[in-house]
Amino acid sequence: MIGFNPLCICFASQIAYSSTMSSKPKLAFLGLGVMGRPMAAHLVRAGYDVAIYNRTAARADALQTALTAEGLKAAVGKTPAEAAAGRDIVIVCVGNDNDLEQVLSGQDGALSAMQAGSTLIDHTTVSPDMARKAAEWCTAKDIAAVDAPVSGGQAGAENGALAIMCGGTGDAFATAEPIMQAYGKTIVHIGQAGAGQTAKMANQMCIAGALGGLSEAVRLVQASGVDADKVLSAISGGAAQSWQMENRWKTMVADEFDFGFAIDWMRKDLAYALQEADRLGLESPVTQLVDRLYADVQALEGGARQDTSALIRRLPR
């Protein structure tokens, strides 16, 4: 009779675990700002081999140090190409069209080092036209591409609860989805290249409209002298309810506007939305009005870097 040897089971388990880990694709994450840093950290904690890059090198070094303190590690690339070399999937989260173009196709850009058969996941909010252009660059090199802008702000990134809107082929999405599950709560394939960005434009237009109405409502309540908390309790369960109301009513009442997604970035996104609406021959009067109000808030002290709920500052008490 063969005796029971727990060491054999332990050794076999280690082999199985090692095999599982080695089967994971190797990743690069380019762009470690307010959103990118926690997203990259989630991937490392999920067991992926991740190379990181940021144009401001100190941010990459800081993330590497933080991960080391947790007993984890990430390689740091000095250029996008260095970080992307030999990686199965390259993830980008930068600022705008120009930033994305520079990181992908500029000097030492990621595309110069990406191999045929790899996949690009772009979480940057860019214009739909830029997303389609990036997809064309990738197709020319036999690289799959997914435009995957996110919503949920800094808290959503930190909590791994982002909403992700995706454009690209079905095969590209199937490759990208398991990776994005490390930081995404809702992940939807909208359609072909650029469709994810179109969804994000719609998302930002909805937020702008909601905050416009919310700002006026809060000022009405404050001017009347009634209890703002009781008003929130009364209306937040009805047709007026929104994420903005649930999460920003009380902070707007308290003049607190430090929640990660700056007005500068919102105006960038609204410009893309208005540009796309104009291309399609559509009128967007509400979005245009809120964008102008945001321009006024930008001019106030600290306004440009405050959270989008600071729109209420445009309306005097």
Side-chain angles (χ1 to χ4, degrees):
M1 180 176 181
I2 300 175
F4 173 74
N5 187 344
L7 292 176
C8 292
I9 294 179
C10 180
F11 181 65
S13 297
Q14 289 177 342
I15 292 176
Y17 178 76
S18 176
S19 176
T20 299
M21 294 297 289
S22 65
S23 66
K24 286 180 177 287
K26 292 184 177 181
L27 313 179
F29 202 105
L30 317 179
L32 304 172
V34 169
M35 303 293 286
R37 175 179 168 136
M39 293 161 73
H42 282 306
L43 291 169
V44 176
R45 294 184 188 116
Y48 289 99
D49 178 345
V50 184
I52 57 176
Y53 165 79
N54 194 76
R55 287 169 294 179
T56 304
R59 288 187 177 181
D61 294 338
L63 177 56
Q64 185 185 49
T65 299
L67 291 170
T68 300
E70 297 180 36
L72 303 170
K73 64 178 181 179
V76 176
K78 294 180 180 179
T79 66
E82 184 176 306
R87 299 285 154 170
D88 303 298
I89 298 175
V90 175
I91 306 163
V92 183
C93 188
V94 289
N96 55 33
D97 283 22
N98 292 336
D99 295 332
L100 179 62
E101 184 166 1
Q102 182 63 34
V103 166
L104 291 183
S105 62
Q107 184 176 7
D108 296 318
L111 288 175
S112 67
M114 291 178 68
Q115 56 198 6
S118 60
T119 299
L120 172 72
I121 303 173
D122 176 32
H123 290 307
T124 312
T125 296
V126 296
S127 65
D129 185 60
M130 182 67 223
R132 290 186 285 266
K133 186 185 299 184
E136 291 173 0
W137 294 340
C138 288
T139 298
K141 298 196 65 174
D142 194 24
I143 296 168
V146 178
D147 55 284
V150 302
S151 182
Q154 182 176 355
E158 291 173 348
N159 295 327
L162 292 169
I164 309 177
M165 301 142 267
C166 303
T169 67
D171 288 344
F173 176 74
T175 298
E177 185 178 22
I179 307 302
M180 297 186 291
Q181 287 172 346
Y183 42 77
K185 180 180 180 180
T186 304
I187 306 171
V188 180
H189 183 209
I190 306 296
Q192 295 300 310
Q197 298 297 344
T198 299
K200 181 61 182 287
M201 300 303 98
N203 182 81
Q204 302 305 74
M205 294 170 92
C206 289
I207 291 172
L211 282 170
L214 195 61
S215 296
E216 293 182 356
V218 169
R219 285 294 189 246
L220 175 69
V221 168
Q222 290 175 323
S224 71
V226 300
D227 189 312
D229 287 343
K230 289 183 178 179
V231 173
L232 176 62
S233 296
I235 70 175
S236 61
Q241 191 277 339
S242 68
W243 186 97
Q244 298 296 334
M245 177 178 286
E246 291 287 345
N247 291 274
R248 294 291 176 260
W249 175 284
K250 290 185 177 181
T251 56
M252 290 166 78
V253 169
D255 290 330
E256 297 174 357
F257 308 114
D258 187 18
F259 300 101
F261 189 67
I263 286 174
D264 276 351
W265 293 117
M266 182 57 148
R267 289 210 68 211
K268 180 265 294 184
D269 292 354
L270 293 181
Y272 290 146
L274 291 169
Q275 175 184 318
E276 185 69 359
D278 185 64
R279 185 184 72 84
L280 295 170
L282 303 175
E283 294 185 6
S284 306
V286 173
T287 302
Q288 289 177 336
L289 173 59
V290 175
D291 182 56
R292 289 198 297 270
L293 296 177
Y294 271 131
D296 292 340
V297 179
Q298 278 181 315
L300 300 176
E301 182 179 357
R305 302 307 302 168
Q306 287 183 320
D307 177 79
T308 51
S309 61
L311 181 65
I312 195 171
R313 294 184 64 198
R314 174 60 179 74
L315 305 175
R317 286 180 177 271

